[in-house]
Amino acid sequence: MENTNIPELFGSLVFDDKVMRARLSEEVYSSLKKTMIENTRLDNRVADAVAEEMKNWAVENGATHYTHWFQPLTGITAEKHDSFITPSPDGGVIMEFSGKELIKGEPDASSFPSGGLRATFEARGYTAWDPTSFAFIKEHTLCIPTAFCSYSGDALDKKTPLLRSMQALNRQAKRILKLFGNDVKYVRTNVGPEQEYFLVDKEMFEKRPDLIYTGRTLFGAMPPKGQELDDHYFGMIKPRVSAFMKELNDELWKLGILAKTEHNEVAPAQHELAPIFSTTNVATDNNQLTMEIMKKVARKHGMVCLLHEKPFAGVNGSGKHNNWSIQTDEGANLLSPGETPEENAQFLLFLCAVIQAVDDYQDLLRLSVATAGNDHRLGANEAPPAIISVFLGDELTAILNAIKNDTPYEGTKKITMKLGVHSLPRFSRDTTDRNRTSPFAFTGNKFEFRSLGSSNSIACSNIMLNAAVAESLKQYADRLENATDFENELHELIKEIIKGHERIIFNGNGYGEEWIEEATKVRGLSNLKTTADAMPHLLDEQNKTMLMEHKVFTESELHSRCEIMLENYCKSVNIEGHTMVDMVRKSYLPSIEEYLYSLAKTTSLKKSINENVKCNYEITTLERLSELSDNILQATLKLEDDLTGLLDSENIIETSEKVRDEVLPAMEELRKYVDEAEMLTSEKYWPYPSYGKLLFSVY
């Protein structure tokens, strides 16, 4: 019988705190919790006890295997399954799992991206248990979240730098809080990533080679109806999609993933799922699981879940809004104004730390969301522009201006903004309207980084954000710890930060051309439009120094990631280009020629009956399609030439620039001709399902 008891269902496949408290001895449980909270080393005896109970629990819940579940630099997760069985003296088997097997694994690392961190023949890699992220059962396998590193200790994953960045921010935030008399155990960032996605009919999907190979449609003319009526957004969820969402929720809830909100998004066939906040590394793990489970559940319902940032030209693409906040172990949100002058001064300092971080490291935030797919989405009047800016809203901006100018703030009453003397007005979560055009918006007690693409791991953005904010806080702590007059020094510091970084604050329309002009030419903000533009900035001296000083990356790890991300960009576009050529040569041109033959034959037959018949439709269509087929051939030859030897160069930056400047424009040119030909060719002859069928077939 279907389990409708949600509290009982939730986390039923997770070895969470409730399970550990019930199954572990008090001594073992206390030791493990200390490791989780304080990052202390786990005693081998404790590890053995945890492993035994984890195995027993997993077997009781149907698991036969275990895996160290990790996140290599491919952007997806990886797992190698080992069974619990061990031979017994009587010729049978017993189920065993040791603390050593829990703590460390040795998967083959030779075929994962390393960016030169190791040679291909150096296969050994290590996975190390992350006890702060709970183990879970997925398809009869106990999954143990782990970090992944090379034999020499270099991070080969996204989790390790993320954990390092969280430690860096924790270290610096505690210094600041101590100055305000708050001695906390730890400070952690929390994230709630909203996930957008498309659902298309599986039968239609399997007839589109471009969707199969690349995740997006490389060709396709717009149907008569798109999203212009705004009738899909928040509309009634159709039964087929509703059934998918119900099963998706059940599967996510079993894994302790706090799926909360679901609705139709702007584009036809587009939807969104939003979770409740959780600690950043846990939220990262959960989001990777969410994307995986979305795809599996969709298949069961005869659909395919598309997570590409721009699967269809002409309608909105999909993003992933990274809602980010900072919280202490006592539950205090450091981005919420308080009740006292001291609490408000503390809030303003943390607010300034974020503003400065975004301004100083806008290129790091931009490159953290840079992919071939997301380049199609950013700045397309559906998503934030490639220019990074901060939205604060009118009220908070007015308060900062009052502090900057030492003038009274005219809100509900005049308040002199001398920190530590008078209190700030109390903010509610809805004190300002939302600005959907801003890439980085303050929304009451958190910031929403809206530039992430739907297929992105949220690890990259949070690594850069955590590290950049940690750097701001370090500078403040270094200065304030040596202040003779703390209150006055704090006031002057906040004034300086506001004056020095007000260029990054923008509350207007980020879609407007006038903003691009103002941002780049007046304010001096960067506009890194593509991955090829953005990614090399990872190796800028300022960025390298900051990330290395906070021990988030080593220099070799930075170089490897720059190379890996640019390689991924070039290889992705290379696959797209070859897919286009394949579709044109094998299907589009032959189909157009077949229709041309039909038109010519019809014209000839009509003329044979009466040579005075005009045949305007046949002749004009035949002439234009003949011209288009010639254009398609020439554009295909050009693209083939651009793709020849594209990936042979050892200079990945030069290759990425060629992709940006030559290959992508050639692909757009080819698409333009094919899409026009689609509008002129009989549906009977067109080889692939149209946009109309793809976008509306689920309904």
Side-chain angles (χ1 to χ4, degrees):
M1 184 177 177
E2 186 179 13
N3 189 345
T4 56
N5 187 333
I6 303 303
E8 183 179 305
L9 180 72
F10 187 83
S12 58
L13 296 181
V14 184
F15 194 74
D16 57 15
D17 192 73
K18 179 176 65 176
V19 176
M20 290 190 290
R21 189 186 295 273
R23 302 188 73 114
L24 301 176
S25 70
E26 186 175 340
E27 179 187 358
V28 170
Y29 174 77
S30 298
S31 179
L32 179 59
K33 290 296 287 185
K34 185 175 181 181
T35 296
M36 294 169 66
I37 294 171
E38 300 178 14
N39 293 313
T40 58
R41 184 178 294 276
L42 191 67
D43 181 84
N44 288 338
R45 182 176 56 85
V46 172
D48 283 334
V50 174
E52 178 66 16
E53 284 305 319
M54 191 181 287
K55 180 262 297 179
N56 291 340
W57 168 83
V59 171
E60 289 168 16
N61 283 278
T64 56
H65 290 66
Y66 70 91
T67 182
H68 276 198
W69 184 80
F70 57 100
Q71 298 170 36
L73 297 172
T74 55
I76 56 177
T77 58
E79 49 197 67
K80 179 189 76 170
H81 298 186
D82 289 295
S83 71
F84 290 120
I85 64 170
T86 301
S88 64
D90 62 2
V93 295
I94 57 176
M95 307 292 270
E96 286 190 344
F97 184 51
S98 68
K100 182 180 178 182
E101 290 169 318
L102 169 63
I103 290 173
K104 189 177 82 170
E106 295 187 19
D108 187 332
S110 61
S111 295
F112 290 109
S114 72
L117 285 176
R118 47 142 187 80
T120 302
F121 66 85
E122 296 172 331
R124 191 180 297 277
Y126 296 108
T127 49
W129 179 34
D130 172 18
T132 63
S133 188
F134 298 132
F136 57 91
I137 295 172
K138 178 166 66 78
E139 296 180 350
H140 308 296
T141 300
L142 173 67
C143 298
I144 303 158
T146 58
F148 180 47
C149 65
S150 70
Y151 179 73
S152 58
D154 292 308
L156 294 175
D157 67 343
K158 295 176 182 290
K159 168 163 279 198
T160 302
L162 178 62
L163 293 172
R164 292 171 182 168
S165 74
M166 292 171 67
Q167 288 180 6
L169 191 141
N170 171 60
R171 192 162 47 243
Q172 302 306 328
K174 285 169 65 177
R175 290 177 66 193
I176 294 295
L177 290 175
K178 193 171 184 179
L179 291 168
F180 286 93
N182 300 319
D183 197 7
V184 302
K185 290 182 180 178
Y186 60 81
V187 175
R188 288 180 178 161
T189 53
N190 291 332
V191 171
E194 303 168 29
Q195 178 72 56
E196 295 175 344
Y197 60 97
F198 280 82
L199 291 174
V200 298
D201 186 82
K202 179 173 175 286
E203 183 180 351
M204 298 294 174
F205 171 88
E206 291 175 344
K207 293 177 180 177
R208 293 284 310 214
D210 45 1
L211 283 177
I212 292 171
Y213 295 138
T214 75
R216 77 179 180 108
T217 52
L218 301 171
F219 302 98
M222 280 297 294
K225 180 181 185 295
Q227 65 187 52
E228 60 272 22
L229 294 180
D230 299 320
D231 54 343
H232 190 255
Y233 190 51
F234 279 24
M236 183 188 75
I237 299 172
K238 300 299 191 294
R240 192 175 176 190
V241 175
S242 181
F244 157 81
M245 288 180 170
K246 183 185 183 307
E247 184 171 351
L248 174 63
N249 284 331
D250 287 348
E251 294 303 313
L252 294 177
W253 289 339
K254 288 177 188 176
L255 293 170
I257 297 173
L258 294 159
K260 177 72 172 176
T261 304
E262 59 193 26
H263 61 83
N264 292 346
E265 255 299 334
V266 174
Q270 188 184 34
H271 311 277
E272 180 178 299
L273 180 148
I276 298 172
F277 281 70
S278 52
T279 307
T280 302
N281 64 310
V282 175
T284 302
D285 288 354
N286 287 348
N287 185 250
Q288 293 293 135
L289 271 174
T290 297
M291 291 189 288
E292 177 186 327
I293 294 168
M294 278 179 168
K295 292 180 179 180
K296 288 182 179 179
V297 174
R299 289 275 183 176
K300 290 174 65 175
H301 289 262
M303 298 181 289
V304 174
C305 177
L306 302 179
L307 293 173
H308 194 284
E309 286 72 25
K310 193 72 173 178
F312 302 101
V315 299
N316 279 14
S318 294
K320 181 145 49 189
H321 303 161
N322 190 81
N323 293 282
W324 180 91
S325 63
I326 319 173
Q327 190 174 41
T328 71
D329 61 290
E330 299 169 348
N333 186 335
L334 300 179
L335 292 177
S336 285
E339 301 289 350
T340 68
E342 291 75 16
E343 288 174 342
N344 284 323
Q346 178 182 289
F347 157 72
L348 284 171
L349 190 59
F350 276 94
L351 180 72
C352 284
V354 178
I355 293 169
Q356 179 181 342
V358 176
D359 189 17
D360 286 347
Y361 298 101
Q362 52 190 279
D363 50 358
L364 284 182
L365 291 179
R366 170 63 184 94
L367 67 87
S368 75
V369 302
T371 63
N374 211 23
D375 286 354
H376 294 291
R377 172 179 161 267
L378 293 179
N381 282 359
E382 64 190 64
I387 300 167
I388 302 295
S389 64
V390 175
F391 169 82
L392 295 180
D394 294 338
E395 184 174 9
L396 192 49
T397 302
I399 290 170
L400 295 186
N401 286 334
I403 296 171
K404 178 187 72 172
N405 299 320
D406 278 328
T407 57
Y409 166 66
E410 296 186 7
T412 54
K413 60 179 181 177
K414 287 191 175 183
I415 302 172
T416 303
M417 302 305 291
K418 183 69 174 177
L419 296 171
V421 178
H422 297 285
S423 64
L424 289 174
R426 182 68 176 172
F427 291 100
S428 66
R429 296 191 66 167
D430 299 319
T431 188
T432 61
D433 196 1
R434 296 183 69 194
N435 188 327
R436 295 183 62 85
T437 72
S438 175
F440 203 87
F442 184 71
T443 55
N445 60 1
K446 58 183 171 61
F447 278 96
E448 184 180 22
F449 188 22
R450 299 173 53 84
S451 299
L452 284 74
S454 54
S455 67
N456 288 168
S457 163
I458 66 171
C460 300
S461 296
N462 286 292
I463 289 167
M464 299 310 178
L465 183 54
N466 290 343
V469 173
E471 173 61 21
S472 298
L473 295 174
K474 178 184 182 296
Q475 294 176 18
Y476 303 166
D478 289 345
R479 176 169 168 178
L480 293 172
E481 284 172 349
N482 298 313
T484 54
D485 184 339
F486 175 76
E487 183 182 309
N488 187 65
E489 191 69 21
L490 176 63
H491 183 66
E492 291 304 312
L493 172 61
I494 290 178
K495 279 178 59 178
E496 289 175 20
I497 299 304
I498 297 168
K499 287 181 179 179
H501 298 281
E502 61 184 340
R503 68 171 186 165
I504 202 73
I505 300 171
F506 177 65
N507 295 332
N509 178 16
Y511 291 168
E513 285 295 322
E514 60 275 10
W515 164 236
I516 296 174
E517 181 85 6
E518 177 186 338
T520 55
K521 295 187 177 179
V522 179
R523 300 194 184 203
L525 302 180
S526 60
N527 185 15
L528 305 172
K529 295 181 179 180
T530 71
T531 300
D533 297 317
M535 199 55 64
H537 288 282
L538 182 61
L539 302 180
D540 288 355
E541 199 58 41
Q542 171 185 276
N543 297 334
K544 284 170 54 179
T545 299
M546 184 273 287
L547 292 166
M548 290 164 60
E549 284 186 352
H550 287 282
K551 296 181 170 41
V552 176
F553 291 108
T554 64
E555 184 166 11
S556 58
E557 288 170 350
L558 286 170
H559 281 275
S560 76
R561 276 149 180 81
C562 182
E563 182 172 334
I564 288 167
M565 297 309 294
L566 285 175
E567 276 187 355
N568 184 276
Y569 170 74
C570 295
K571 288 177 179 178
S572 296
V573 176
N574 187 61
I575 291 169
E576 290 181 346
H578 282 291
T579 300
M580 292 185 84
V581 170
D582 191 68
M583 292 174 73
V584 166
R585 287 203 173 276
K586 291 180 179 178
S587 296
Y588 282 128
L589 280 177
S591 296
I592 293 169
E593 288 301 305
E594 188 177 357
Y595 185 52
L596 285 171
Y597 174 78
S598 173
L599 290 172
K601 187 176 179 180
T602 300
T603 303
S604 178
L605 284 171
K606 284 185 175 182
K607 291 287 187 182
S608 69
I609 296 171
N610 185 344
E611 63 179 19
N612 294 321
V613 173
K614 293 185 176 180
C615 301
N616 287 336
Y617 163 70
E618 290 85 357
I619 292 172
T620 56
T621 304
L622 189 149
E623 288 176 346
R624 181 54 184 157
L625 271 178
S626 295
E627 184 180 1
L628 283 171
S629 65
D630 290 340
N631 291 340
I632 290 169
L633 176 61
Q634 292 304 312
T636 302
L637 293 171
K638 170 68 167 61
L639 179 57
E640 286 176 323
D641 184 59
D642 289 338
L643 292 171
T644 301
L646 178 67
L647 303 180
D648 293 344
S649 171
E650 294 184 1
N651 189 322
I652 194 61
I653 291 179
E654 288 183 0
T655 302
S656 68
E657 290 171 347
K658 181 177 180 180
V659 166
R660 177 195 64 198
D661 299 334
E662 298 178 30
V663 178
L664 285 169
M667 289 168 59
E668 283 299 309
E669 185 75 2
L670 175 56
R671 175 174 188 153
K672 179 180 69 175
Y673 297 132
V674 173
D675 287 358
E676 184 181 346
E678 180 181 354
M679 299 300 293
L680 296 175
T681 304
S682 168
E683 184 178 23
K684 172 184 172 183
Y685 293 89
W686 203 246
Y688 303 117
S690 66
Y691 265 26
K693 290 182 177 178
L694 286 166
L695 287 169
F696 295 97
S697 61
V698 168
Y699 309 105

